Amino acid sequence: MNQKVVLITGCSSGIGLALAVRLAKDEKKRFMVYATMRNLAKSEALVEAAGRTLGRTLEIRQLDVCDENSIKACVDNLPMRRVDILISNAGMGMIGPIECQSIDEMKTVMDTNFFGLVRLLKEILPGMKMRKSGHIVVISSVMGIQGILFNDIYAASKFAVEGFCESLAVQALRFNLNISLIEPGPVITEFESKVYEEGAKIDLSKADKVTADMFTNIYLKNYNQIFQSLGQTPEDVAEHTFKMITMENPPFRHQTNSLYTPMTTLKYADPNGDLPIETFYKMVFEHDKVFNASLNFLKLLRWRSRKSFTLGKEKNAS
Ligand SMILES: NC(=O)C1=CN([C@@H]2O[C@H](COP(=O)(O)OP(=O)(O)OC[C@H]3O[C@@H](n4cnc5c(N)ncnc54)[C@H](OP(=O)(O)O)[C@@H]3O)[C@@H](O)[C@H]2O)C=CC1
Ligand SMILES: CC1=C(/C=C/C(C)=C/C=C/C(C)=C/C=O)C(C)(C)CCC1
């Protein structure tokens, strides 16, 4: 059987872990999954979830997206250095007022979320081009299209990812390669708790009172509720990604949560760019109960993406 070699980054938890297991448990055994993580001491959850697939359709390898040597060593150890499907998932969040964040902290986010992808492709793209086949799947975010209050640096890192992939996509087409950006809204993973805990620890003394109050009493106060009520599970995002991978003609962009499509559509609806900014402003500041207003807004504007995902044709089993 002609198995596709899949390399996934950031598989110690969340979306990466769920996706590695989903692919390894494929009934038709179409995939050989190299589930990577920067710290192998964190492999317990994946080992447990992988069950009998471990050593069969799933292997765990070390890979730190911030370390070129680690990426090279991992790829060098794959049979014929071949990767058919690269899933760039490793990433981190960051919230808060920029006055309270150091440039070094910001660089770590860019280094992981953006340069991590660039480093992977520098190592893996030449082989895909040579073989004239491959699928590059990037876990981006709705924040790759539309920024959200107090996510300035995180959104910038995902915008960078999207601009990079848009530019590369035309070249990729020339080599018969696919690039797909997966754009989830909030997902309930360790990302949420890590971001919240770091955010809650921020020393707000460098911010003015209005900003500090906005961050604490609007953003942080509603954060958990928004994630818990409007968030997806990592398994759900993995299922969407699985469908993208097994589709005949995967689209360049795919949003996994239709609740957030209106948010990104506002941007395209107004070339001046004011519509999303004014809408967010009203949503956050001109209602007594921010959470209910946000929830109602999102639900009111819910619609289905015109290019229905479910219509996508699955590839024939190979
Ligand atoms: N959760 C959400 O709301 C959303 C998440 N996303 C994106 O999904 C992706 C996965 O996040 P999610 O599963 O939610 O969060 P998790 O925190 O559960 O997973 C993130 C993974 O990335 C790994 N990672 C971080 N830095 C590096 C590095 N330098 N090298 C290799 N691995 C690294 C983490 O490893 P370690 O355990 O060692 O830290 C972990 O395995 C990210 O790109 C994120 O931006 C997009 C939209 C929404
Ligand atoms: C908490 C909060 C808001 C929404 C936050 C959202 C929607 C966060 C999404 C995070 C994602 C998608 C992370 C990963 O990529 C609003 C509406 C601005 C109102 C103020 C409080």
Side-chain angles (χ1 to χ4, degrees):
M1 191 191 349
N2 204 2
Q3 270 186 329
K4 289 237 161 31
V5 175
V6 186
L7 187 142
I8 314 179
T9 63
C11 295
S12 67
S13 61
I15 298 168
L17 187 155
L19 187 53
V21 172
R22 176 66 183 90
L23 288 163
K25 290 190 174 170
D26 176 45
E27 277 179 5
K28 297 174 190 163
K29 293 194 171 47
R30 285 171 287 186
F31 308 103
M32 177 61 220
V33 180
Y34 291 93
T36 71
M37 58 187 73
R38 62 177 161 179
N39 181 1
L40 289 174
K42 284 192 173 181
S43 61
E44 205 180 314
L46 177 59
V47 168
E48 197 181 319
R52 287 171 50 79
T53 66
L54 192 65
R56 293 186 165 91
T57 51
L58 186 144
E59 280 188 27
I60 302 176
R61 301 282 170 94
Q62 196 276 339
L63 190 156
D64 181 340
V65 298
C66 294
D67 177 354
E68 284 168 59
N69 295 329
S70 138
I71 299 175
K72 186 173 183 314
C74 181
V75 177
D76 281 349
N77 281 308
L78 299 178
M80 287 164 0
R81 302 186 93 252
R82 183 186 178 110
V83 177
D84 298 306
I85 303 170
L86 168 68
I87 302 172
S88 173
N89 163 76
M92 61 185 293
M94 187 185 194
I95 55 170
I98 55 162
E99 300 90 311
C100 311
Q101 295 164 336
S102 71
I103 294 288
D104 278 348
E105 287 168 325
M106 297 176 189
K107 279 185 176 169
T108 304
V109 175
M110 292 302 291
D111 200 37
T112 308
N113 295 0
F114 173 57
F115 286 107
L117 166 65
V118 178
R119 283 187 198 96
L120 284 169
L121 283 181
K122 277 174 71 71
E123 201 57 50
I124 291 168
L125 190 61
M128 286 185 167
K129 280 180 167 179
M130 204 179 63
R131 292 186 295 275
K132 293 205 167 44
S133 99
H135 192 176
I136 298 153
V137 180
V138 181
I139 310 297
S140 176
S141 165
V142 285
M143 267 196 260
I145 304 178
Q146 173 64 54
I148 291 182
L149 181 71
F150 289 123
N151 280 272
D152 319 69
I153 305 304
Y154 177 73
S157 75
K158 293 293 184 181
F159 268 56
V161 162
E162 297 245 347
F164 173 78
C165 289
E166 270 184 12
S167 304
L168 201 62
V170 176
Q171 195 198 134
L173 209 56
R174 190 85 182 128
F175 291 91
N176 192 36
L177 309 179
N178 285 310
I179 302 186
S180 301
L181 291 161
I182 310 288
E183 300 168 326
V187 187
I188 306 158
T189 63
E190 286 182 20
F191 178 98
E192 176 210 357
S193 43
K194 284 185 263 192
V195 164
Y196 183 84
E197 277 161 29
E198 289 301 314
K201 278 197 298 206
I202 290 178
D203 172 11
L204 291 168
S205 61
K206 282 202 181 124
D208 61 275
K209 197 178 165 314
V210 175
T211 307
D213 182 60
M214 210 191 300
F215 181 59
T216 308
N217 296 321
I218 295 181
Y219 196 83
L220 282 182
K221 199 171 153 198
N222 291 288
Y223 183 88
N224 290 329
Q225 217 178 351
I226 291 215
F227 265 77
Q228 296 304 325
S229 318
L230 301 173
Q232 281 178 291
T233 62
E235 288 74 23
D236 196 4
V237 175
E239 198 55 45
H240 277 257
T241 311
F242 182 87
K243 284 191 183 141
M244 294 282 283
I245 289 167
T246 50
M247 248 173 160
E248 192 79 63
N249 292 306
F252 179 64
R253 287 198 162 88
H254 175 68
Q255 292 185 26
T256 62
N257 190 339
S258 60
L259 275 178
Y260 291 85
T261 307
M263 183 180 101
T264 51
T265 306
L266 289 175
K267 178 163 185 166
Y268 298 119
D270 176 15
N272 290 330
D274 295 328
L275 189 57
I277 296 169
E278 281 164 11
T279 308
F280 264 110
Y281 189 88
K282 286 190 181 129
M283 187 164 95
V284 175
F285 298 111
E286 292 179 9
H287 291 87
D288 293 342
K289 289 185 181 153
V290 173
F291 173 69
N292 284 336
S294 311
L295 188 74
N296 290 339
F297 167 78
L298 289 165
K299 287 196 170 154
L300 191 77
L301 290 178
R302 184 209 288 254
W303 70 16
R304 291 227 163 268
S305 171
R306 238 183 282 152
K307 190 174 178 183
S308 176
F309 181 59
T310 47
L311 293 178
K313 218 173 91 194
E314 195 176 313
K315 269 181 202 161
N316 291 330
S318 54

